[in-house]
């Protein structure tokens, strides 16, 4: 039996579709009830429906063998697991964004800048680790674009998909931190102990991704 952690929402639907196309019976996962564990003994699969940010935790601790999760969450959570496939969907960018007049290097001129984000670890790693700059990070839980508009922060670090939210709020991308997409992750012990089930699944997933 393989336990698969799915990120509740759109990513879960796409992951289920991909697994079905790869030849796995995912009828159990399509149950529209509020059950959080969906098991199909015959198919040998058990799905757990987790909050996206918790998927890496379930996989690291072995509560799930495999997880489908965004690279943004993996970078933020920094868990010890194998990242085995890039699914090529859920594509977006992790960006530093802010008022248009901070583009072209002007953001760099602000000392001790305040940065609002849902991703404090990614933000710290980028500014302190990569840019060698000390910053004040303000953790928010959503609508991050509000922060520079209302004077809470100089800029933000957030996901940009279409760019519409930034544009409609008079903001723009200043720097790209990382390219994001959905990934498959595997628990380190499961990879060894259940390799006869996991390796073929990963191969079939990769074959499907190549067809997309
Ligand atoms: C995300 C992200 C941006 C927006 C980017 O927010 O935080 O606000 O989507 O998408 P766009 O570039 O296509 O406009 P989400 O909708 O998850 O809500 P949140 O503000 O609560 O984080």
């Amino acid at each position: 039996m393989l336990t698969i952690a799915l990120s509740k929402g759109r990513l879960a639907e796409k992951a289920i579709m991909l697994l079905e196309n790869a030849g796995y019976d995912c009828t159990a996962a399509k149950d529209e009830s509020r059950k959080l564990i969906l098991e199909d003994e015959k198919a040998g699969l058990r799905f757990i429906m987790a909050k996206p940010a918790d998927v890496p935790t379930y996989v690291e601790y072995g509560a799930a063998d495999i997880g489908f999760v965004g690279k943004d969450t993996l970078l933020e959570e920094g868990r010890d697991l194998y990242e085995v496939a890039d699914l090529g969907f859920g594509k977006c960018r992790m960006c530093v964004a802010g008022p248009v007049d901070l583009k072209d290097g002007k953001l760099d001129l602000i000392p001790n800048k305040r940065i609002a984000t849902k991703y404090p670890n990614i933000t710290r790693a980028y500014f302190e680790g990569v840019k060698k700059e000390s910053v004040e990070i303000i953790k928010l839980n959503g609508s991050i674009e509000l922060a520079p508009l209302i004077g809470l922060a100089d800029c933000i670090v957030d996901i940009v998909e279409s760019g519409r939210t930034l544009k409609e709020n008079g903001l723009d991308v200043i720097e790209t931190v990382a390219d994001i997409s959905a990934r498959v992750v595997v628990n380190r012990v499961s990879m060894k102990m259940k390799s006869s089930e996991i390796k073929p699944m990963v191969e079939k997933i990769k074959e499907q991704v190549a067809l997309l």
Side-chain angles (χ1 to χ4, degrees):
M1 177 76 70
L2 282 182
T3 302
I4 301 176
L6 296 176
S7 301
K8 277 198 270 184
R10 210 148 47 104
L11 195 56
E13 284 170 30
K14 289 200 164 187
I16 290 165
M17 218 191 303
L18 189 84
L19 280 171
E20 290 223 302
N21 291 339
Y24 292 90
D25 182 357
C26 297
T27 315
K30 288 191 280 188
D31 183 326
E32 297 212 334
S33 71
R34 297 218 168 176
K35 279 191 191 157
L36 298 172
I37 303 177
L38 302 158
E39 189 170 318
D40 185 335
E41 223 173 294
K42 209 166 119 229
L45 299 178
R46 177 164 62 175
F47 297 91
I48 62 172
M49 312 306 282
K51 274 270 191 191
D54 296 333
V55 168
T57 311
Y58 284 103
V59 176
E60 184 190 76
Y61 284 91
D65 303 300
I66 296 181
F68 287 74
V69 65
K71 181 70 178 177
D72 53 334
T73 306
L74 291 176
L75 290 172
E76 182 62 21
E77 295 299 314
R79 295 282 173 184
D80 183 23
L81 25 77
Y82 289 121
E83 186 183 315
V84 294
D86 182 342
L87 299 176
F89 55 72
K91 276 193 181 171
C92 52
R93 283 185 297 161
M94 183 66 65
C95 294
V96 180
V100 179
D101 59 8
L102 290 185
K103 287 181 78 168
D104 306 319
K106 301 211 186 59
L107 178 69
D108 289 334
L109 304 178
I110 301 177
N112 305 313
K113 50 179 100 38
R114 292 171 115 187
I115 306 172
T117 187
K118 260 196 291 198
Y119 303 92
N121 295 329
I122 293 175
T123 303
R124 190 168 298 107
Y126 182 66
F127 278 92
E128 298 187 355
V130 178
K131 290 173 68 96
K132 308 286 177 218
E133 192 187 333
S134 164
V135 293
E136 184 179 348
I137 296 169
I138 302 173
K139 166 84 163 61
L140 293 178
N141 297 296
S143 302
I144 314 299
E145 292 83 357
L146 253 180
L149 300 177
I150 208 82
L152 176 65
D154 298 297
C155 64
I156 63 174
V157 169
D158 200 15
I159 292 290
V160 179
E161 194 177 347
S162 65
R164 196 172 154 201
T165 311
L166 289 181
K167 195 159 179 240
E168 292 188 4
N169 288 290
L171 304 170
D172 207 346
V173 171
I174 298 174
E175 289 162 26
T176 296
V177 177
D179 288 320
I180 305 297
S181 55
R183 309 290 162 102
V184 181
V185 291
V186 177
N187 171 269
R188 289 193 179 276
V189 176
S190 303
M191 188 67 126
K192 290 193 189 80
M193 306 301 285
K194 298 187 179 179
S195 67
S196 62
E197 290 167 90
I198 292 177
K199 286 195 174 148
M201 179 179 272
V202 171
E203 283 319 306
K204 285 181 203 158
I205 288 171
K206 284 183 177 168
E207 280 166 28
Q208 287 306 311
V209 172
L211 297 175
L212 291 176

